[in-house]
Amino acid sequence: MNKELLYTGKAKDVYKTDNEDEVIVHFRNDITALDGGKTDSLENKGRYNTLISAKLFEVLESKGVKTQYIDLITSEEMLSKSLKMIPLEVICRNIATGSLIKKYPFQEKQELNPPIIQFDYKNDEFHDPMLNDDIIIALNIATKDDLERIREITRKLNSVLVDFLKEHGIILVDFKIEVGFDKDNNIVVGDEISPDTTRLWDIETGKNFDKDIFRKNESGVVSAYHKVVKAILTPEEQKKWNVE
């Protein structure tokens, strides 16, 4: 395959392939937080995020939620559909924590039913501000119908992953996804779903299995990601990808 670099982000590289409808997504070991103010590189972090994202995408596909995922090439590289990305960060919150309780009078760990869905503008220059529908439409980021479809996809995705992760001893607290248009102009889930883009809590202890560990300057980031891999991959999948 031709691997010409198409895009490089904070923790992933996207490469062209010989098929214009497909790309290779390579997950690096880089980790960032606090609007890029805190960075590091952690061995195996990219590998674990790749395996977790692939597994969760497979679960979503099995339940009718379309994603850009096609297959794993290696434990750090994912073959994916090429998408025209919508510059939104779609955030879904099941439990109040983090920035939500800093900005609004919610109680820590307050359950949110129905979940809160918010849109942020994916733009480093403007520091990813929160958007409402009118601003999104005025900026020609998405149409009213697009936003309704994105909310529908997000609610379905949330329901599927809450149930799946709960079966494996993990609480899905909140998550951020990105979406884009495929070659048939369908809106599908892209990017990744991993401990970098979610908050995951141990169902028994409440301990973090996500990037909050890094944000809080605590140790054990990769160990926590490894626990997620061990929890959600089958023994056969762990053996295939040499997960010890």
Side-chain angles (χ1 to χ4, degrees):
M1 284 187 178
N2 171 36
K3 285 184 66 175
E4 178 186 346
L5 184 64
L6 182 66
Y7 167 81
T8 187
K10 293 176 181 176
K12 295 186 297 297
D13 297 321
V14 179
Y15 294 90
K16 294 181 180 179
T17 70
D18 295 330
N19 184 340
E20 65 179 11
D21 296 324
E22 297 178 355
V23 295
I24 295 172
V25 181
H26 174 252
F27 288 68
R28 305 195 312 271
N29 287 330
D30 301 308
I31 186 168
T32 68
L34 307 178
D35 202 14
K38 180 176 171 61
T39 64
D40 204 346
S41 179
L42 305 173
E43 185 177 1
N44 281 323
K45 179 259 185 186
R47 179 168 175 258
Y48 293 153
N49 273 357
T50 311
L51 295 174
I52 293 166
S53 291
K55 180 66 176 185
L56 297 182
F57 282 149
E58 289 170 359
V59 170
L60 291 170
E61 291 279 355
S62 74
K63 298 296 184 179
V65 179
K66 297 301 181 184
T67 77
Q68 75 172 143
Y69 173 76
I70 299 174
D71 199 5
L72 278 180
I73 301 171
T74 71
S75 60
E76 295 178 350
E77 292 181 313
M78 186 183 297
L79 184 65
S80 302
K81 300 169 189 173
S82 180
L83 300 182
K84 180 182 178 184
M85 300 304 292
I86 300 171
L88 291 175
E89 294 183 345
V90 185
I91 299 165
C92 182
R93 302 180 186 274
N94 295 306
I95 298 173
T97 191
S99 63
L100 194 66
I101 62 171
K102 294 177 182 177
K103 296 178 180 179
Y104 304 99
F106 291 104
Q107 297 298 312
E108 174 72 30
K109 297 186 179 180
Q110 178 180 336
E111 293 190 10
L112 304 170
N113 190 17
I116 292 173
I117 297 176
Q118 75 180 68
F119 298 119
D120 288 358
Y121 185 26
K122 186 173 172 59
N123 188 299
D124 290 340
E125 181 182 356
F126 294 96
H127 304 287
D128 304 331
M130 188 187 297
L131 301 173
N132 62 26
D133 288 18
D134 287 346
I135 296 174
I136 293 170
I137 293 167
L139 288 172
N140 293 316
I141 293 171
T143 67
K144 181 179 179 181
D145 288 344
D146 292 338
L147 294 177
E148 290 178 1
R149 178 61 181 144
I150 292 168
R151 286 190 173 95
E152 179 184 351
I153 291 169
T154 304
R155 286 191 288 266
K156 178 68 178 294
L157 181 154
N158 184 51
S159 177
V160 169
L161 293 190
V162 163
D163 290 346
F164 173 76
L165 291 168
K166 184 177 181 181
E167 291 173 0
H168 294 81
I170 298 171
I171 299 170
L172 179 59
V173 178
D174 56 38
F175 60 86
K176 171 186 72 69
I177 58 170
E178 296 182 26
V179 298
F181 293 100
D182 66 12
K183 65 178 182 178
D184 299 316
N185 214 37
N186 298 308
I187 297 176
V188 304
V189 180
D191 194 48
E192 68 179 296
I193 304 176
S194 74
D196 273 11
T197 61
T198 61
R199 279 192 176 90
L200 305 171
W201 291 349
D202 184 282
I203 204 165
E204 294 183 355
T205 67
K207 290 183 178 180
N208 287 92
F209 288 155
D210 56 68
K211 195 163 71 170
D212 263 359
I213 301 169
F214 181 69
R215 293 187 185 98
K216 297 174 182 178
N217 293 312
E218 297 174 353
S219 61
V221 177
V222 175
S223 174
Y225 286 30
H226 177 258
K227 289 176 182 176
V228 178
V229 174
K230 295 286 284 185
I232 68 174
L233 265 64
T234 65
E236 294 76 17
E237 290 166 337
Q238 293 177 40
K239 182 177 180 181
K240 178 180 180 179
W241 299 110
N242 297 314
V243 177
E244 299 296 334

